[in-house]
Amino acid sequence: MREPNPITKAALASDEPAFREVGVGPWAETHPGRPRPDDFGDPANFDARYDRELLDNGDRRNVLDKYRYWTVPAIKADLDRQGRHPFEVAIENWTHDFNIGSMVRTANAFAAARVHIVGPHKWNRKGALMTELYQHIAHHPTIADLVADWRRRIAGEIAAAEEAAAAAARRNDFAATARHQAEVDELREAKVIAMDILPGAVPMETYRFPRRCLLLFGAEGPGLSEKALDLADDVVYISQFGSVRSINAGAAAAVAMHAWIAQHAQIAQHAWIA
């Protein structure tokens, strides 16, 4: 047997790694003496959001602490209730790209309103780590179908906000009129944004993302299709300083989504802790 090299020997002799425990154990062990929240016979403590199997066996999922033991539908409903961010992301899936799972996971982390998957292929959910269960995901046969549907929804929201503003003005409700007019102004600024590194594209670091936008991402390798680029209002690229032409598609999607977050999201300290 070969003698391990000095780095391996030193690593094996160390106390590392010491990992933190992920998640929680069964309810009875983690909350000794406290009543279970799924006891139908105790209306004062019963909470329909809790999953009996998770309470029995523990919850090691990749979820925020406040969602421990909750059912998937309860978590998804709570994300909708607290409000997702108004940007949406779309992924052209013409090459069965394995980056899609990580894009879905990132979209969930940043509470994107929707994830759109364009093209004929199924996608590998392994990289999503089950986060697709908590996310609104739509499928479209072509990029043209997706963009047409998105623009129709934006137009419908503009019409509804204009009608609400007019109704508020007739009531002399000036605060509501201003609020609805601000919604109209925001919706009129909505854009389809292609994320690709091409001549004439705008560097992301100087670009101001509109609050309402649809971010388009291409497959690893070929990037976005010509049709996607034709349909986009703006083309934006991530500035790079090394020798490669582009970064991994999943990483690029994460960087772009976080750029929107940095410009528009309300950041609460330690927001990930219950």
Side-chain angles (χ1 to χ4, degrees), residues 30-96:
T30 309
H31 303 84
R34 286 178 56 183
R36 281 175 56 125
D38 65 336
D39 184 356
F40 290 102
D42 186 2
N45 290 302
F46 177 73
D47 191 331
R49 296 174 298 184
Y50 285 82
D51 183 285
R52 182 168 293 250
E53 184 175 343
L54 292 173
L55 291 167
D56 285 341
N57 302 314
D59 187 354
R60 305 296 180 182
R61 298 173 299 173
N62 182 22
V63 297
L64 296 179
D65 289 344
K66 73 175 185 176
Y67 292 135
R68 291 295 174 201
Y69 305 115
W70 284 29
T71 66
V72 167
I75 295 173
K76 189 172 183 179
D78 192 65
L79 292 172
D80 289 337
R81 180 196 59 76
Q82 71 184 22
R84 299 175 190 262
H85 290 126
F87 73 92
E88 302 179 32
V89 297
I91 305 147
E92 284 198 306
N93 185 26
W94 300 102
T95 59
H96 203 114

Side-chain angles (χ1 to χ4, degrees), residues 13-252:
S14 74
D15 293 329
E16 299 179 34
F19 295 116
R20 292 179 295 109
E21 183 181 41
V22 175
V24 290
W27 179 272
E29 295 177 9
T30 309
H31 303 84
R34 286 178 56 183
R36 281 175 56 125
D38 65 336
D39 184 356
F40 290 102
D42 186 2
N45 290 302
F46 177 73
D47 191 331
R49 296 174 298 184
Y50 285 82
D51 183 285
R52 182 168 293 250
E53 184 175 343
L54 292 173
L55 291 167
D56 285 341
N57 302 314
D59 187 354
R60 305 296 180 182
R61 298 173 299 173
N62 182 22
V63 297
L64 296 179
D65 289 344
K66 73 175 185 176
Y67 292 135
R68 291 295 174 201
Y69 305 115
W70 284 29
T71 66
V72 167
I75 295 173
K76 189 172 183 179
D78 192 65
L79 292 172
D80 289 337
R81 180 196 59 76
Q82 71 184 22
R84 299 175 190 262
H85 290 126
F87 73 92
E88 302 179 32
V89 297
I91 305 147
E92 284 198 306
N93 185 26
W94 300 102
T95 59
H96 203 114
D97 194 339
F98 285 90
N99 287 282
I100 292 175
S102 66
M103 291 184 189
V104 171
R105 181 180 176 185
T106 303
N108 171 269
F110 294 139
R114 287 184 182 86
V115 175
H116 303 272
I117 298 176
V118 179
H121 291 291
K122 294 180 179 179
W123 59 281
N124 188 311
R125 286 166 167 75
K126 189 173 182 179
L129 293 182
M130 306 297 286
T131 55
E132 76 275 8
L133 300 176
Y134 314 110
Q135 193 64 40
H136 295 292
I137 297 179
H139 293 80
H140 307 267
T142 69
I143 197 73
D145 288 308
L146 162 64
V147 172
D149 176 70
W150 184 83
R151 293 196 190 282
R152 276 194 299 269
R153 284 194 288 112
I154 294 295
E157 290 183 43
I158 290 173
E162 287 178 331
E163 184 177 335
R170 289 192 293 271
R171 300 192 307 270
N172 293 322
D173 187 339
F174 302 114
T177 301
R179 185 174 66 254
H180 292 304
Q181 187 57 51
E183 292 175 15
V184 172
D185 295 341
E186 178 180 295
L187 287 161
R188 284 179 174 162
E189 293 178 353
K191 289 184 177 181
V192 176
I193 302 167
M195 298 299 304
D196 211 336
I197 186 162
L198 295 168
V202 179
M204 185 188 72
E205 294 75 19
T206 63
Y207 183 75
R208 182 68 182 174
F209 287 91
R211 276 183 55 78
R212 293 299 299 270
C213 58
L214 174 63
L215 303 178
L216 305 182
F217 300 99
E220 185 75 28
L224 283 165
S225 66
E226 290 291 340
K227 187 67 173 179
L229 295 170
D230 289 342
L231 291 170
D233 297 301
D234 292 330
V235 182
V236 176
Y237 71 93
I238 299 167
S239 294
Q240 294 158 210
F241 304 92
S243 62
V244 297
R245 180 188 176 277
S246 62
I247 59 177
N248 170 273

